[in-house]
Amino acid sequence: MLITPEYLFASVSGITPAFLKAKGIVALVLDVDDTLTAHGSQELAAEVKDWLEQLRAAGVQLMIVSNNTKARVSPFAARLGLPFVSMACKPLTFGLAAARRRFGVPRHAMAIVGDQLFTDRLAASLYGVRALIVTPRGGAARRDIRLKRKLEQPFLRRYYRKGGKLL
């Protein structure tokens, strides 16, 4: 089950402090494009801002880990006041390992929040942390992303066949 989701959320705001506490998660690695904001956007929806504030208030450690460039990620992370790792090369685990070292937490206490099964979910599986997959934000995706979304469909169907629900 390297790619089939463990948890699937309609939006990041569905990932509540209570859910995280029940799972023993105290640190979240956050993807940017199509997870926190639309692909390539520097804008953040009020819902996402409120969610980040709820997590901070609950004491959850947050860090952005993105496959995108420093030029893309740095201004976004700075506006949110979050540390970041750019060019993470997910599904390779370098970025997750760097984040965990900075968090100073064991793997079972960390999770990744992302929108893609072949990058975020697979990286989490390979590194041994939980993946909290969200429905992608934003509008029309690039051609390569549209192809990935199509290839993800069998794994999403498997999630639902096994009794998974959209949280």
Side-chain angles (χ1 to χ4, degrees), residues 87-107:
M87 299 301 292
C89 299
K90 297 176 288 183
L92 300 177
T93 61
F94 307 119
L96 297 180
R100 190 175 72 81
R101 281 191 305 273
R102 288 166 72 180
F103 284 144
V105 300
R107 290 177 201 226

Side-chain angles (χ1 to χ4, degrees), residues 9-160:
F9 294 86
S11 171
V12 292
S13 61
I15 304 167
T16 64
F19 174 87
L20 297 174
K21 185 175 181 178
K23 303 293 180 193
I25 298 168
V26 299
L28 286 181
V29 167
L30 307 170
D31 181 48
V32 176
D33 289 318
D34 290 331
T35 299
L36 296 179
T37 190
H39 189 82
S41 174
Q42 291 288 329
E43 300 301 315
L44 197 65
E47 166 206 8
V48 178
K49 285 180 189 175
D50 293 344
W51 175 71
L52 290 170
E53 289 308 315
Q54 288 175 358
L55 294 179
R56 283 184 172 123
V60 177
Q61 296 182 71
L62 304 169
M63 185 180 305
I64 291 174
V65 175
S66 174
N67 282 353
N68 224 312
T69 65
K70 184 176 182 180
R72 159 73 174 116
V73 179
S74 180
F76 188 81
R79 286 215 320 272
L80 298 179
L82 294 176
F84 70 92
V85 174
S86 59
M87 299 301 292
C89 299
K90 297 176 288 183
L92 300 177
T93 61
F94 307 119
L96 297 180
R100 190 175 72 81
R101 281 191 305 273
R102 288 166 72 180
F103 284 144
V105 300
R107 290 177 201 226
H108 70 268
M110 183 176 105
I112 182 172
V113 178
D115 67 298
Q116 290 190 47
L117 299 181
F118 292 109
T119 55
D120 304 310
R121 171 62 174 121
L122 184 54
S125 294
L126 294 173
Y127 192 62
V129 298
R130 289 188 185 103
L132 311 177
I133 301 300
V134 298
T135 302
R137 293 182 113 30
R142 296 183 334 242
R143 179 186 234 167
D144 61 324
I145 302 296
R146 285 195 311 265
L147 175 61
K148 285 182 191 178
R149 300 281 183 230
K150 188 173 184 95
L151 295 173
E152 289 174 344
Q153 292 306 306
F155 300 100
L156 294 171
R157 284 193 295 273
R158 179 182 298 154
Y159 171 77
Y160 289 116

